Amino acid sequence: MEDSLSRDLKAVGRPVQVIRSSSSPNPLLHIIRELRNLEIHLRSSQMSVSKTAAKYEDTEQTGIWRDIELNAWWIDPITESEFAELRNARNYNPSDITRMLDWFNDAQKVWGVDELVRQ
């Protein structure tokens, strides 16, 4: 999207500096962008599911919380060697890659990769 936005802005005569996800301090934006590149260019993951306990407030009875179980869909953990194959890997400090992947691989099993992408 970033590449097409830059091209489209130029085509309509508005060559504005495009804000890129890689400019953000939010690590989630970085890992989601690279996850897209990984899944499109290097591999195609099978989805697995695990259960996550959660609570939600009953909208019909304010103040009443219910215990529920959510399905957390996740992909195979991303390895540092897979990440290193990505073109953008050279833009990251190796210790940041380790921290980013550790966080993502753990968080997706709790919340689901779909929820991380949505966030």
Side-chain angles (χ1 to χ4, degrees):
M1 288 178 38
E2 294 168 353
D3 295 336
S4 61
L5 177 59
S6 178
R7 184 185 59 238
D8 292 346
L9 288 172
K10 196 179 293 182
V12 296
R14 298 196 60 194
V16 182
Q17 179 76 21
V18 175
I19 298 173
R20 300 191 173 279
S21 58
S22 59
S23 301
S24 172
N26 185 340
L28 183 54
L29 293 177
H30 292 260
I31 191 66
I32 294 302
R33 179 175 188 218
E34 297 313 317
L35 174 63
R36 175 247 177 228
N37 293 336
L38 180 73
E39 290 296 322
I40 288 177
H41 301 296
L42 298 179
R43 73 178 198 185
S44 180
S45 295
Q46 296 279 331
M47 301 285 290
S48 300
V49 66
S50 57
K51 301 288 184 184
T52 297
K55 290 186 180 286
Y56 83 99
E57 187 174 12
D58 190 323
T59 56
E60 294 180 15
Q61 297 180 354
T62 305
I64 304 296
W65 289 85
R66 308 251 184 240
D67 292 323
I68 60 171
E69 205 172 60
L70 300 174
N71 287 330
W73 289 94
W74 48 275
I75 60 172
D76 291 336
I78 303 169
T79 66
E80 290 177 42
S81 60
E82 286 175 320
F83 193 90
E85 292 181 50
L86 295 168
R87 179 179 49 160
N88 293 329
R90 68 182 183 273
N91 299 325
Y92 295 95
N93 180 302
S95 65
D96 289 339
I97 292 172
T98 300
R99 289 177 34 222
M100 185 168 53
L101 294 180
D102 286 348
W103 176 84
F104 177 82
N105 289 330
D106 291 341
Q108 71 163 338
K109 287 188 177 179
V110 175
W111 299 107
V113 69
D114 57 326
E115 181 62 20
L116 296 180
V117 169
R118 190 182 73 74
Q119 289 293 326

